[in-house]
Amino acid sequence: LDFHDTQFVIGIDLGTTNCAVSYVDLVALREGQGQKTSADKKRFLKVFNVPQLTGHGEFTKVPVLPSFLYIPGEYDISKEVLKHPWKKREDLFAGTFARDHGSKLPSRLVSSAKSWLCNPNADRRSKILPWGSEGVEKVSPVTATAEYLLHIRKAWNHFVKDEDKFLENQFVVITVPASFNEEARELTMEAVKTAEFGNSVTLLEEPLAAFYSWLINHENDWQTKVNPDDLILVCDVGGGTTDFSLISLKESEGSPRFERIAVGEHLILGGDNIDLALARKVEAKFKNRKPLSADKWKTLAHRCREAKERILDKNEPSVRITIKGEGRSLIAGTLAADLTRQDVDSLLIERFFPDADENNPAGFSSE
């Protein structure tokens, strides 16, 4: 499948915590060839709002598909409320409702599958997720990744209707961390094949994708911002990984050429770690507490993620976090504490993103 044989170029950010989809209609772009400026061209770049379950029986278009997969049990949720507008092979489902409902039953919730794809100490093709859960059906990191991609393909095809416009017949670009090794890339492509994406799929490193976007935004003045032999550091802090890429501008036969000259080692550090740190902070506020079970700890981490997003996105001063008790201690065993804006700010600024002097970028003390 050639780039020029398709109507759409589809870009998928296959994220640790969220997947996003954008596209360009090449037919419309060719018809608008007279549009020359970056702003004119960007008009043809669209975001695909992904239809997904957002509640019991609720199907809504959302700008991202949360990278969470819920594996229903026999009695924990009615199959009637899980119906999709397209045919599904299994009852498991991905997206917003999977994330929100799964936070209450974390033993059935798969998360951070992308981080597992590059873990050399795990068998990425074995059914190991949800990690630490017992007595429930499990899936492999490759299968979980394939389910996110399959949902995107089914949602796109349901949207366009016309078989010629189906995703598997388009040119698709999927972004992956620059620090993904060859095995992680092969496993990603294995998931792509399982999701039946067709043969025209290209993997693009995430920092390079970000840099290309910067170049497009500055296509008429980038020469005033970058000089030959300048070094450009691209930092990509994601949900589960942090990526560093170093790019240099070189002169080649009289023409400037950007060259990626270094990639940082794979660093499993991102939004997931911030959520865990916030959970530790909230856990310390619980009164008369005992060590949390594995499931309660996962629930607390999810609650802290939700609270963090409300505080940062909606500017709420604090959010009450409650963890219910179990059995006879359903009421008496309930734990509650507030996560405040000050908690979030101090943790982000002091521990994750501290101020640094340009002469001492690591912020090390000389004492």
Side-chain angles (χ1 to χ4, degrees):
L1 189 64
D2 184 77
F3 177 92
H4 298 288
D5 293 334
T6 69
Q7 178 166 348
F8 297 99
V9 173
I10 302 171
I12 299 175
D13 179 6
L14 186 61
T16 306
T17 50
N18 288 290
C19 298
V21 184
S22 61
Y23 64 96
V24 172
D25 186 333
L26 294 178
V27 173
L29 181 63
R30 290 168 189 141
E31 291 175 351
Q33 284 299 328
Q35 310 292 340
K36 297 296 183 181
T37 69
S38 297
D40 289 331
K41 293 176 181 177
K42 286 176 70 173
R43 289 194 304 107
F44 297 98
L45 178 62
K46 308 291 184 181
V47 172
F48 177 61
N49 293 314
V50 186
Q52 60 196 272
L53 277 171
T54 53
H56 287 80
E58 298 176 2
F59 222 81
T60 311
K61 294 180 179 179
V62 181
V64 296
L65 177 75
S67 305
F68 293 82
L69 186 71
Y70 188 79
I71 305 173
E74 189 172 356
Y75 303 110
D76 60 286
I77 189 169
S78 169
K79 293 184 179 181
E80 288 299 312
V81 306
L82 302 181
K83 287 185 178 179
H84 285 56
W86 53 81
K87 188 176 181 180
K88 286 178 58 63
R89 298 181 296 195
E90 300 181 70
D91 289 331
L92 45 75
F93 60 98
T96 299
F97 187 51
R99 179 194 64 194
D100 297 345
H101 182 74
S103 68
K104 304 170 188 174
L105 292 166
S107 62
R108 294 190 171 278
L109 181 64
V110 176
S111 60
S112 303
K114 180 178 175 180
S115 294
W116 285 96
L117 283 180
C118 53
N119 187 339
N121 298 316
D123 184 350
R124 278 67 59 89
R125 295 185 177 90
S126 292
K127 297 180 178 181
I128 59 175
L129 300 179
W131 182 256
S133 297
E134 297 181 1
V136 300
E137 181 185 353
K138 294 189 176 186
V139 299
S140 71
V142 174
T143 297
T145 303
E147 285 297 327
Y148 306 144
L149 292 171
L150 181 62
H151 182 106
I152 290 171
R153 183 175 72 83
K154 292 281 190 178
W156 173 275
N157 291 355
H158 180 77
F159 170 73
V160 299
K161 308 294 185 188
D162 185 351
E163 186 173 345
D164 289 337
K165 299 178 181 179
F166 280 3
L167 186 143
E168 56 266 34
N169 298 324
Q170 310 307 313
F171 189 88
V172 180
V173 178
I174 299 176
T175 58
V176 295
S179 54
F180 255 25
N181 59 24
E182 192 59 35
E183 186 175 11
R185 293 169 191 250
E186 289 177 359
L187 291 168
T188 302
M189 290 304 295
E190 188 174 315
V192 168
K193 184 176 180 181
T194 300
E196 301 176 0
F197 260 48
N199 298 319
S200 188
V201 176
T202 298
L203 297 186
L204 176 64
E205 295 177 2
E206 291 162 357
L208 285 182
F211 183 64
Y212 292 155
S213 177
W214 181 86
L215 278 178
I216 291 172
N217 289 332
H218 295 278
E219 65 176 340
N220 297 319
D221 66 348
W222 67 263
Q223 296 93 337
T224 66
K225 300 178 182 296
V226 184
N227 297 313
D229 297 323
D230 276 357
L231 295 178
I232 302 165
L233 177 63
V234 183
C235 305
D236 177 10
V237 182
T241 58
T242 294
D243 247 348
F244 299 103
S245 288
L246 201 59
I247 299 170
S248 179
L249 176 60
K250 303 290 186 183
E251 290 285 354
S252 177
E253 299 180 354
S255 299
R257 178 169 58 90
F258 287 102
E259 181 179 314
R260 192 202 68 188
I261 59 177
V263 173
E265 293 184 2
H266 191 68
L267 184 60
I268 303 180
L269 177 67
D272 286 352
N273 303 87
I274 294 173
D275 299 339
L276 293 173
L278 290 173
R280 288 294 183 198
K281 186 179 284 285
V282 171
E283 183 188 30
K285 294 183 179 184
F286 288 150
K287 296 178 179 179
N288 303 320
R289 65 180 178 85
K290 297 178 180 179
L292 297 178
S293 66
D295 280 355
K296 282 191 175 182
W297 172 253
K298 291 178 183 177
T299 297
L300 176 58
H302 283 298
R303 293 284 179 270
C304 287
R305 174 190 52 76
E306 294 168 353
K308 174 196 68 179
E309 292 172 355
R310 286 170 60 183
I311 289 170
L312 296 179
D313 293 345
K314 300 181 181 179
N315 207 29
E316 296 189 22
S318 67
V319 176
R320 189 73 167 173
I321 293 178
T322 303
I323 304 296
K324 293 181 180 179
E326 297 175 339
R328 294 179 179 178
S329 300
L330 180 63
I331 303 300
T334 296
L335 301 170
D338 291 332
L339 181 68
T340 67
R341 176 75 191 217
Q342 184 178 357
D343 291 332
V344 176
D345 286 348
S346 63
L347 184 137
L348 288 174
I349 295 171
E350 295 172 12
R351 294 181 56 184
F352 281 89
F353 303 108
D355 289 336
D357 186 275
E358 62 179 3
N359 297 318
N360 183 21
F364 293 126
S365 171
S366 59
E367 299 179 358

